[in-house]
Amino acid sequence: MRLQEYQKQTDVHRDAVHLARLEAESIAILREVAAQFERPVLLFSGGKDSIVMARLAEKAFWPARIPFPLLHIDTGHNFEETLTYRDELAARLRCRLIVRTVQESIDKGRCVEEKGPNASRNALQTVTLLDALEEFRFDAAFGGARRDEEKARAKERIFSFRDEFGQWDPKNQRPELWSLYNGRRNPGESFRVFPLSNWTEMDIWQYIARENIPIPSLYFSHRRRVFQRGGTWLAECPYLTPLPHETVEERVVRFRTIGDMTCTGAVESTASDIHQIIGEVAAARNTERGTRADDKRSEAAMEERKRAGYF
Amino acid sequence: MSTAELNTPSLDRGLLRFATAGSVDDGKSTLIGRLMFDTKTIFEDQLEAIEQSSRSRGHEQVNLALLTDGLKAEREQGITIDVAYRYFSTPRRKFIIADTPGHVQYTRNMVTGASTAQLTIILVDARKGIVEQTRRHSYIASLLRIPHIAVCVNKMDLVGYDAQVFHEIADAYRELAAGLGIREVTLIPISALHGDNVVAPSGQMPWYGGPSLLEHLETVDVGEDALAAPARFPVQYVIRPQSEAWPDYRGFAGQVAGGTFTPGQPVVVLPSGLRTTIRTVDLFGDSLPFAQGGQSVTLTLADDLDVSRGDMIVPVDTPPAVTRELDAMVCWLGEKPLQVGGKYAIRHTTRETRGIVNAVVHKVNIETLTPVAGDAAVGMNDIARITLKTMTPLFVDPYAENRATGSFLIIDEATHLTVGAGMIVQRS
Ligand SMILES: Nc1nc2c(ncn2[C@@H]2O[C@H](COP(=O)(O)OP(=O)(O)O)[C@@H](O)[C@H]2O)c(=O)[nH]1
């Protein structure tokens, strides 16, 4: 669908209403966790989903401060803009920001760096994350995952139970009825909680537009030196070595998701404001995960990582 | 839809949650795949992936049903065994599908999916007509008080798009629905495989004058229920910034569980019974003129009362029942059977207490849908009427009047698992 067509067809009122309902549900989930758990934490990646989650948390507890810290698992391969954005946001929210790095985990011998041209630290994040959750004895960790992102997520609960090893067992999840959430647990057990479960990529963008939330400039069209690999444009950066047949060239691109530089693909785009992005998303023929190299590795890649304790 | 209708504000116009049910092979996965495909919710990379899967399994054409397949083990077994959520939207509405399997043993999944649904699609195979599963699903839909039921008579292509076949099934279904006290039924003849009457009207069935399934989903009126109910505000979290900017702010955060709250409204706080009035309805710096069912807000009160999580703010003139005795229908979800005399944790709205199961009044025979007295063996997937006594009072409404204040969870105190879903029958 083209932009004009989309705007014409979209009942403006509808957007306001469905976003208000999603917002109300997410706020209720954030408050429920603050009430049922002793040490919640919000996993902040700097991506648009966690930015929206932080806004919802701000709303949920206003005029008080958000009653839990932010945790960033830093792969060491982040875009500079992401880190700046993260620090400014934490300062504005007057929230404690905890950063744990994959590099630290590697240095301590907790995990080993992948080798080869497709080496990524995405999988290693799991180790750093689980260690950080244990270090601070967090009993609930908010993640920004959405069920529309990937098949393995479609069955994920909003309150997702994890055993004492942080593992997810799809067969051992509690049924979730009405809006009643059962966060009871034994010592050592914990939950991942996904307040954005029912949001789609489009909802996220529309909400960012509605709320006028500033987002990192990476999401808007810009010139960047990139090279093509596995059907996506990867940014030229110190952590990636292009193979002999891969040529680096300058293109006008933007990012649909922001994560580890080694596996976050850019799309060619001239969308330079939020409304143009919304128009592009409406017309898009590929999922945003299609631009993430790590999810392409196997059909069940995400599911395997989830079992191991990834978000 | 007329312009007048479009301009009528309604809380729920923008979002419809629906559940799907059908026996195995009635075409549920194909239907959902079709809805998503025809509304362009399927992306090229997803289509590529299912094309690949289809080929590797030796299917000739792209199997849209694969799109809704979930986890690996289940993919390998070739079955869906849980509730999966899907999303699609049209310019008119956003849709959330709770996709539940049709297996006999998974009543619990259907109950779970139905608990948040405003509409359910029940699939019937045109060649088979109404079968036991249809009755069971319809019963659960009525038990869970899903306001709207859409019966899709599928595989019409296999009966030559015959009007007679459809009308016979439709008549039989209306009779079934009337027996179950179901108020609103829409019957639609479809072919999920070929797309007849799913998104676009079918050229094959000119005798059918009604809406396509999608048109029905887009226009069905949802939203009156939560607003008509008496106002209920379970306090979820107390907000006390104690900051320089807000030294004395004391707000009670929660999600409105029915009705409307406005500043100046006289209210009573349960269980204390103390009266006051609503001072403000707050949301992130905005003072709202009112808050309605479903909205998450923060209320401040005119008087400085001691209010905590689990309390309920309600209008002075229409309070809920304050009771320790519950008479409820339960669907048992746990592997360990329900224990008469057993103690459980009970979660109702934002309140948690303990309860003892007094008695099983009757069990529902899931084949005949009739009550069987004297059978107290309630195991997983069973539905029964029970009585419970709770340690502290709950503030309840009959489930038929308010799904939020009429429902509760039964939780095993040792394993912390959710083992039962309760629906309050009446004030006792
Ligand atoms: N002829 C015909 N076949 C259909 C139709 N809908 C589904 N099917 C077929 O019925 C079989 C079962 O469908 P599926 O969607 O997997 O059923 P589920 O078990 O209810 O999810 C598949 O072989 C489908 O291709 C239809 O409208 N017409």
Side-chain angles (χ1 to χ4, degrees):
Chain A
M1 239 187 288
R2 297 265 66 86
L3 174 60
Q4 294 85 340
E5 197 185 332
Y6 177 77
Q7 283 171 338
K8 198 171 68 211
Q9 287 192 22
T10 299
D11 171 9
V12 177
H13 184 63
R14 176 203 78 140
D15 288 339
V17 175
H18 92 271
L19 290 177
R21 299 236 314 170
L22 291 173
E23 178 190 68
E25 179 186 70
S26 302
I27 288 176
I29 293 162
L30 285 151
R31 288 170 172 169
E32 196 59 24
V33 169
Q36 286 194 35
F37 292 81
E38 278 161 47
R39 282 177 302 278
V41 67
L42 189 147
L43 300 173
F44 186 82
S45 70
K48 62 182 186 303
D49 300 323
S50 62
I51 290 171
V52 165
M53 196 161 58
R55 165 59 58 98
L56 291 164
E58 195 184 356
K59 281 198 174 190
F61 303 102
W62 181 94
R65 271 193 292 172
I66 298 174
F68 36 78
L70 309 181
L71 170 64
H72 183 220
I73 301 301
D74 187 352
T75 61
H77 295 166
N78 278 295
F79 294 93
E80 200 48 49
E81 290 94 325
T82 308
L83 301 181
T84 311
Y85 185 96
R86 172 196 77 187
D87 294 345
E88 285 174 6
L89 181 76
R92 189 179 66 72
L93 296 175
R94 289 174 297 134
C95 242
R96 176 170 177 216
L97 172 68
I98 301 166
V99 179
R100 285 294 175 270
T101 66
V102 171
Q103 189 61 50
E104 244 174 294
S105 306
I106 294 171
D107 295 346
K108 282 194 218 144
R110 299 279 298 126
C111 55
V112 182
E113 188 99 69
E114 289 182 12
K115 298 272 191 305
N118 288 320
S120 156
R121 286 183 166 182
N122 242 23
L124 307 186
Q125 283 183 83
T126 304
V127 174
T128 315
L129 171 67
L130 292 178
D131 285 355
L133 296 180
E134 201 171 301
E135 177 187 349
F136 295 95
R137 295 190 300 132
F138 290 127
D139 50 8
F142 291 108
R146 294 177 275 112
R147 286 179 183 141
D148 81 317
E149 276 178 85
E150 212 276 338
K151 269 204 243 175
R153 293 221 197 261
K155 294 172 193 200
E156 181 62 286
R157 300 299 195 274
I158 290 174
F159 272 44
S160 176
F161 175 77
R162 304 301 162 109
D163 64 16
E164 56 272 52
F165 301 102
Q167 294 183 85
W168 178 68
D169 176 0
K171 292 248 149 64
N172 190 18
Q173 294 296 322
R174 300 173 183 177
E176 247 166 29
L177 298 107
W178 299 290
S179 44
L180 294 171
Y181 301 103
N182 171 7
R184 287 174 64 116
R185 65 217 166 268
N186 286 314
E189 296 170 344
S190 65
F191 282 79
R192 301 290 167 78
V193 180
F194 304 107
L196 303 179
S197 287
N198 288 323
W199 297 55
T200 61
E201 185 188 8
M202 180 59 108
D203 299 327
I204 295 286
W205 287 118
Q206 288 179 333
Y207 190 72
I208 289 170
R210 185 187 94 159
E211 296 283 304
N212 233 325
I213 306 173
I215 51 173
S217 55
L218 297 163
Y219 282 117
F220 301 111
S221 150
H222 57 282
R223 295 193 153 272
R224 181 177 289 273
R225 289 177 56 77
V226 292
F227 63 93
Q228 194 141 48
R229 179 180 292 173
T232 57
W233 291 104
L234 293 177
E236 184 189 43
C237 70
Y239 320 110
L240 277 176
T241 323
L243 297 170
H245 67 275
E246 293 168 341
T247 42
V248 178
E249 53 196 297
E250 196 174 272
R251 294 259 164 179
V252 177
V253 297
R254 67 177 186 84
F255 291 91
R256 282 177 83 179
T257 66
I258 292 181
D260 189 299
M261 289 175 87
T262 60
C263 58
T264 304
V267 291
E268 288 194 89
S269 162
T270 55
S272 58
D273 69 31
I274 187 82
H275 298 287
Q276 287 175 10
I277 291 179
I278 290 172
E280 260 192 30
V281 172
R285 299 303 309 136
N286 276 298
T287 59
E288 58 188 322
R289 291 220 151 248
T291 60
R292 290 178 77 135
D294 54 317
D295 287 325
K296 285 195 168 173
R297 286 185 186 175
S298 94
E299 197 188 348
M302 171 71 87
E303 192 184 321
E304 271 151 23
R305 283 192 289 139
K306 274 173 67 72
R307 277 178 201 269
Y310 180 78
F311 310 108
Chain B
M1 211 187 303
S2 72
T3 335
E5 262 180 291
L6 269 173
N7 291 335
T8 313
S10 149
L11 244 199
D12 291 82
R13 178 176 300 286
L15 185 62
L16 178 76
R17 289 173 187 256
F18 68 93
T20 54
S23 316
V24 181
D25 285 341
D26 280 351
K28 196 161 53 64
S29 312
T30 308
L31 176 65
I32 294 172
R34 170 63 63 189
L35 272 173
M36 297 180 78
F37 187 75
D38 287 359
T39 55
K40 307 210 170 28
T41 311
I42 299 181
F43 293 95
E44 271 164 20
D45 50 342
Q46 291 173 318
L47 195 61
E48 226 170 82
I50 61 168
E51 270 166 5
Q52 224 170 42
S53 289
S54 301
R55 266 198 306 277
S56 73
R57 285 179 204 199
H59 300 305
E60 277 166 32
Q61 49 186 158
V62 176
N63 185 352
L64 286 179
L66 287 179
L67 190 82
T68 59
D69 258 11
L71 304 175
K72 199 175 163 190
E74 297 163 32
R75 273 206 297 285
E76 278 157 10
Q77 292 162 26
I79 49 162
T80 318
I81 55 162
D82 209 337
V83 185
Y85 295 87
R86 326 268 171 214
Y87 304 83
F88 71 99
S89 61
T90 67
R92 281 175 160 176
R93 257 185 190 163
K94 174 189 165 98
F95 299 95
I96 302 178
I97 314 176
D99 179 12
T100 56
H103 298 268
V104 186
Q105 63 270 42
Y106 291 109
T107 299
R108 59 176 252 165
N109 292 340
M110 170 140 186
V111 168
T112 304
S115 72
T116 52
Q118 298 155 303
L119 177 147
T120 186
I121 293 177
I122 293 179
L123 272 171
V124 175
D125 186 326
R127 296 168 303 175
K128 297 184 193 150
I130 288 162
V131 296
E132 194 183 306
Q133 288 279 74
T134 320
R135 282 195 193 88
R136 183 171 311 156
H137 291 144
S138 302
Y139 172 73
I140 291 172
S142 71
L143 181 70
L144 273 285
R145 300 271 165 180
I146 303 182
H148 305 273
I149 294 186
V151 178
C152 288
V153 180
N154 189 31
K155 307 197 185 185
M156 285 301 292
D157 55 307
L158 297 182
V159 295
Y161 297 106
D162 186 354
Q164 178 85 23
V165 173
F166 173 73
H167 290 307
E168 274 168 19
I169 294 174
D171 289 345
Y173 192 86
R174 285 201 190 91
E175 197 174 308
L176 167 66
L180 290 172
I182 293 169
R183 285 172 296 162
E184 224 252 22
V185 182
T186 302
L187 291 123
I188 307 173
I190 68 164
S191 166
L193 191 64
H194 300 294
D196 294 281
N197 286 336
V198 176
V199 168
S202 166
Q204 304 280 357
M205 294 175 272
W207 46 263
Y208 170 73
S212 72
L213 174 62
L214 183 67
E215 199 183 331
H216 179 59
L217 296 175
E218 280 184 319
T219 54
V220 64
D221 187 21
V222 283
E224 72 283 5
D225 286 24
L227 301 184
R232 302 284 181 255
F233 192 84
V235 174
Q236 199 180 8
Y237 192 83
V238 179
I239 295 182
R240 299 199 63 179
Q242 294 174 297
S243 61
E244 252 172 61
W246 303 94
D248 302 317
Y249 188 93
R250 252 164 76 91
F252 306 105
Q255 190 167 19
V256 181
T260 305
F261 287 91
T262 44
Q265 182 179 355
V267 291
V268 54
V269 180
L270 300 174
S272 71
L274 295 172
R275 291 181 177 207
T276 181
T277 53
I278 307 267
R279 200 165 65 88
T280 57
V281 176
D282 293 342
L283 179 63
F284 196 49
D286 291 331
S287 266
L288 308 181
F290 58 85
Q292 291 186 323
Q295 278 183 281
S296 280
V297 295
T298 302
L299 303 182
T300 61
L301 303 176
D303 300 288
D304 197 9
L305 305 182
D306 187 18
V307 179
S308 44
R309 174 174 162 88
D311 290 0
M312 195 184 280
I313 300 173
V314 300
V316 172
D317 48 348
T318 48
V322 178
T323 179
R324 290 176 54 203
E325 306 280 343
L326 300 181
D327 175 357
M329 296 300 294
V330 291
C331 174
W332 200 250
L333 312 167
E335 276 173 33
K336 231 168 75 189
L338 171 139
Q339 300 226 271
V340 176
K343 293 191 182 73
Y344 295 94
I346 305 294
R347 185 175 287 280
H348 171 261
T349 65
T350 57
R351 210 169 166 77
E352 186 168 303
T353 181
R354 298 177 72 202
I356 299 180
V357 177
N358 282 338
V360 174
V361 180
H362 64 242
K363 198 168 126 179
V364 175
N365 179 321
I366 202 74
E367 266 96 56
T368 59
L369 305 179
T370 48
V372 185
D375 183 354
V378 177
M380 179 148 53
N381 293 306
D382 283 339
I383 292 169
R385 183 166 175 169
I386 64 168
T387 54
L388 275 161
K389 189 177 177 74
T390 59
M391 208 167 74
T392 57
L394 298 176
F395 322 124
V396 307
D397 293 296
Y399 184 78
E401 287 167 28
N402 189 323
R403 279 167 114 184
T405 53
S407 56
F408 61 92
L409 301 182
I410 303 175
I411 297 166
D412 185 306
E413 291 193 303
T415 62
H416 303 311
L417 293 174
T418 302
V419 292
M423 289 152 279
I424 292 158
V425 177
Q426 59 183 28
R427 299 160 202 262
S428 48

